[in-house]
Amino acid sequence: MSMKRGVSLYSYQQSQFLKELDLEGQVREVSQNLGGADGIELVDEMSLRYPDPGDDFVRRWFDWMDRYGAVPVTMDVCMDVLQFRDHVMTHAECAERLEHDIRLAKRLGFRNVRVLSTVPIEVIALALPLAESLDIRLGKEIHQPMRLEGQQVLQVLDLADRTGSAHLGIVPDLGIFQTRPSPVQLQWFQRRGAGTQACDAAVELSGLVMREEAPFPVPDTSTAGNLRAAFNRYILTGDCEPALEPTFAGVRRFAEERVTAPEPLDFTVVAEALTLSRTSPDALRQLTDRVINVHAKFNNMTEIPGRPGENEDIAIDYPAAIGALADGGYQGYLNSEYEGQRYFQDLPREQLMDEVDQVRRHQEMLRRLTAA
Amino acid sequence: MFDNLLIRADSLCNDVVDGEVVGFRLAVRIANYRGVFLSLHNGYYLEVDGVVYPRDVQTFEVNGKSPRTFEETTAAVWEHWDYDDEAILHVRLPGGLPPGEHIVRFQQSVLAAYGYLPTDEEWVHTPPEPGTGAGSDKTPYIVTYTLTLNEKHAEPEAVA
């Protein structure tokens, strides 16, 4: 048996926002137009009326699954710790929210729940007994700039060992195999005023980071979004967590040496190199037994020069990632997760990227690489 | 995200109550790829033709309920602003806006996040000021729109 293919409906976030493709249309696209894909993954707070989508919806949902031959694979859930506004949610409160989402996933026939990379392991431990009792597997996302070799994965493996649970694992986001900023992201920065020197410096620093030759320490414990916010605050105010200071000062110096009269946005661009995980494909091979499903992240599919009809994302090392999963005997789902649409959303509507086309190209690549 | 799509282009119009123009309104969407509990919504940086309209003159109409202040929405801890839904931002301005084109500078503040952040405790007591980028996860810059005052009375788009 080989790997199975599906799509995270996150990929169609813009089509949904613009009301070009509703949830049923998204399910139909996945199951009818992607050459044998059948897996459905979704973000509950994007795709559903939340927190309760209602019984009528649940009936329609299962009707779509039957009609289109689709399989509910994974529900992605969020954690907003300021929900109550008068205090920061405790671990127990976060676990209650996760338990709600586990029940919702079960109600819709999902097999897995993806928890965010930032969810403390204590929260997962509190919710694990319910997941076990409902036969739902919990997968903690491992997202760039985290790496498979880091503490986040060890915590999951430790908890699984301690509890003997078969319902706990990881959801690797293949952005951890990114090697450089995506060209579409750099073009987006340039339209907002970043210089070509800053973009070149970001690509140069990416090369150094990938070869472990950066002239300062590179963290692996934050999320990309949180890291960006912290760095931008540092550039504007000079303040940051002490542990991040050598890194942020190093990026600033690196940029100042290469960019003439850098603006805050130029620093932001260069700091994108900090979001690379530098993880090893062999770590993924060794962890295959604990992979719940895979977020097959991509930002921009383009045709491979000289190979009509074949596509690639030049910024993510897909051959290495898929090869590692194949060597590890992975038989679960690879779910396309397109994220590049946001890098066109400053442009007029007619220039927005076509998500449906991007996912079709990506599925062509997955078909080809998994058949190899 | 959705830079040019966060305000519906034809939605800027004056608010009329009992025949009197009490302010103006805009139809808005969430600047994220998902909805959030309404309590997390922290108001707007809103500047029209160089004049800033702070949170204390803003109210928010969503989910078929009357407009609420952003103080009142902090209590909506189990009510969700769903991703698909348009909401109406009302701004108190006796006499409203004059006809014609207006330059609108806009940033939405929603305290959605990926898990715990160093700013959590601070934001319980002192939420960030919209416009600073803090608490504006996916579109942390101010976006500029050129909008023409719609002389017709715009209603929220029907919920699908």
Side-chain angles (χ1 to χ4, degrees), chain A residues 131-355:
Chain A
E132 298 249 352
S133 72
L134 296 178
D135 195 21
I136 293 278
R137 299 189 302 167
L138 299 181
K140 183 167 177 165
E141 183 167 1
I142 304 300
H143 190 287
Q144 69 175 134
M146 294 176 178
R147 51 203 313 190
L148 295 168
E149 295 87 345
Q151 190 60 29
Q152 291 85 7
V153 173
L154 283 179
Q155 287 179 334
V156 172
L157 299 180
D158 284 350
L159 180 60
D161 283 347
R162 262 201 332 271
T163 57
S165 179
H167 290 80
L168 182 61
I170 59 170
V171 175
D173 178 303
L174 295 187
I176 61 178
F177 293 101
Q178 188 165 336
T179 57
R180 50 158 290 169
S182 177
V184 294
Q185 187 190 19
L186 293 178
Q187 289 156 14
W188 173 76
F189 276 128
Q190 284 190 293
R191 288 194 302 273
R192 288 174 52 206
T196 49
Q197 286 176 323
C199 295
D200 292 345
V203 174
E204 181 190 348
L205 183 56
S206 297
L208 294 173
V209 167
M210 290 305 293
R211 295 193 299 276
E212 308 283 357
E213 291 170 7
F216 47 79
V218 179
D220 61 4
T221 53
S222 187
T223 71
N226 295 351
L227 193 68
R228 287 180 184 120
F231 181 77
N232 289 340
R233 199 156 78 127
Y234 171 79
I235 287 300
L236 292 175
T237 68
D239 293 333
C240 69
E241 287 176 63
L244 290 172
E245 208 275 337
T247 304
F248 288 177
V251 174
R252 187 169 61 189
R253 205 162 46 243
F254 190 90
E256 284 167 350
E257 286 164 4
R258 287 161 181 79
V259 183
T260 314
E263 297 286 331
L265 186 60
D266 293 313
F267 290 109
T268 299
V269 172
V270 179
E272 279 301 306
L274 297 180
T275 65
L276 303 175
S277 296
R278 308 148 285 142
T279 208
S280 90
D282 197 56
L284 181 58
R285 182 187 62 77
Q286 293 176 38
L287 287 165
T288 301
D289 287 349
R290 282 290 169 190
V291 174
I292 301 291
N293 75 281
V294 173
H295 280 182
K297 164 68 52 63
F298 66 102
N299 284 300
N300 190 45
M301 299 304 293
T302 51
E303 197 167 77
I304 303 172
R307 289 163 65 181
E310 296 190 5
N311 302 278
E312 64 181 347
D313 185 317
I314 67 156
I316 300 176
D317 191 353
Y318 263 95
I322 302 296
L325 288 164
D327 289 346
Y330 182 63
Q331 297 181 0
Y333 275 89
L334 296 168
N335 290 338
S336 295
E337 195 189 58
Y338 175 48
E339 193 167 277
Q341 62 279 77
R342 63 181 59 174
Y343 300 125
F344 296 84
Q345 288 171 349
D346 59 316
L347 294 168
R349 185 158 171 170
E350 59 277 11
Q351 291 179 50
L352 296 179
M353 193 46 105
D354 182 341
E355 294 171 326

Side-chain angles (χ1 to χ4, degrees), chain A residues 13 19 45 49 83 89, chain B residues 39 80 83-85 116:
Chain A
Q13 56 184 259
K19 305 196 187 300
E45 287 186 274
R49 294 277 159 200
Q83 179 185 345
M89 277 162 72
Chain B
S39 56
H80 204 252
Y83 181 59
D84 287 344
D85 291 349
Y116 292 101

Side-chain angles (χ1 to χ4, degrees), chain A residues 13 16-17 19 45-46 49-50 78-81 83 85-86 89-91 94 118 192 226 345-347, chain B residues 1-2 4 29 33-35 39 77-78 80 82-85 112-117 120 124 127 141:
Chain A
Q13 56 184 259
Q16 182 178 334
F17 185 101
K19 305 196 187 300
E45 287 186 274
M46 173 186 141
R49 294 277 159 200
Y50 188 84
C78 311
M79 185 178 89
D80 291 307
V81 301
Q83 179 185 345
R85 291 303 298 273
D86 61 352
M89 277 162 72
T90 63
H91 286 174
C94 291
T118 47
R192 288 174 52 206
N226 295 351
Q345 288 171 349
D346 59 316
L347 294 168
Chain B
M1 286 180 69
F2 299 126
N4 304 315
R29 295 282 297 277
Y33 60 79
R34 64 174 173 102
S39 56
V77 299
W78 295 113
H80 204 252
D82 286 331
Y83 181 59
D84 287 344
D85 291 349
Y114 293 101
Y116 292 101
L117 288 178
D120 288 339
V124 166
Y141 36 87

